[in-house]
């Protein structure tokens, strides 16, 4: 199981750093004028970081789905949204099965209104 630590960063955007020994695949979700947008995948190797969203953050809440290399969820979530196995950009997080999509738990990250935020994944 992963633990999430967060902090503000000097460079604008949403960044994720993988402090674990395992490769993880990450999907992100956030509110837009057209509804909740989910997109993935970013592969983050052990002890590496990547930007999920570049530029100033416009929302205070973002949602992360973390999966291991076998596609198994590695972080319990607060909200269920839709994903695909291959790269995707989706809108509206409901009725996943009816739309031929996969339901997945996403963990809520509150950026407290900051324009930049870093999420650190580590084992607890």
């Amino acid at each position: 199981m992963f633990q999430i630590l967060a902090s503000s960063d000097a460079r604008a955007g949403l960044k994720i750093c993988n402090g674990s020994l395992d490769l993880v695949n990450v999907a992100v979700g956030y509110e837009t004028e057209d509804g909740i947008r989910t997109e993935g995948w970013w592969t983050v190797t052990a002890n590496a970081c990547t930007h999920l969203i570049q530029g100033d953050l416009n929302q205070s809440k973002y949602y992360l789905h973390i999966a291991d290399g076998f596609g198994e969820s590695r972080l319990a979530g607060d909200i269920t949204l839709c994903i695909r196995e291959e790269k995707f950009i989706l809108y509206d997080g409901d009725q996943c099965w009816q739309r031929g999509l996969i339901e997945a738990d996403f963990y809520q990250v509150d950026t407290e209104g900051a324009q930049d935020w870093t999420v650190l994944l580590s084992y607890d």
Side-chain angles (χ1 to χ4, degrees), residues 16-103:
I16 188 162
C17 294
N18 182 4
S20 77
L21 300 175
D22 300 322
L23 171 142
V24 294
N25 294 304
V26 180
V28 64
Y30 53 94
E31 290 281 346
T32 71
E33 291 178 4
D34 299 321
I36 293 181
R37 173 183 169 132
T38 55
E39 58 183 293
W41 295 99
W42 287 265
T43 299
V44 187
T45 58
N47 298 311
C49 299
T50 193
H51 269 89
L52 304 177
I53 298 173
Q54 296 191 17
D56 293 346
L57 298 178
N58 298 319
Q59 306 297 325
S60 62
K61 291 186 170 80
Y62 291 85
Y63 305 97
L64 297 177
H65 175 72
I66 311 296
D68 63 20
F70 301 103
E72 296 295 320
S73 180
R74 298 295 306 214
L75 187 65
D78 308 292
I79 184 172
T80 300
L81 299 172
C82 303
I83 62 171
R84 288 189 172 157
E85 289 183 6
E86 64 275 351
K87 283 198 171 286
F88 66 90
I89 295 176
L90 302 169
Y91 287 91
D92 297 323
D94 59 352
Q95 299 180 339
C96 300
W97 296 112
Q98 295 89 330
R99 296 167 49 202
L101 303 170
I102 301 165
E103 285 186 346

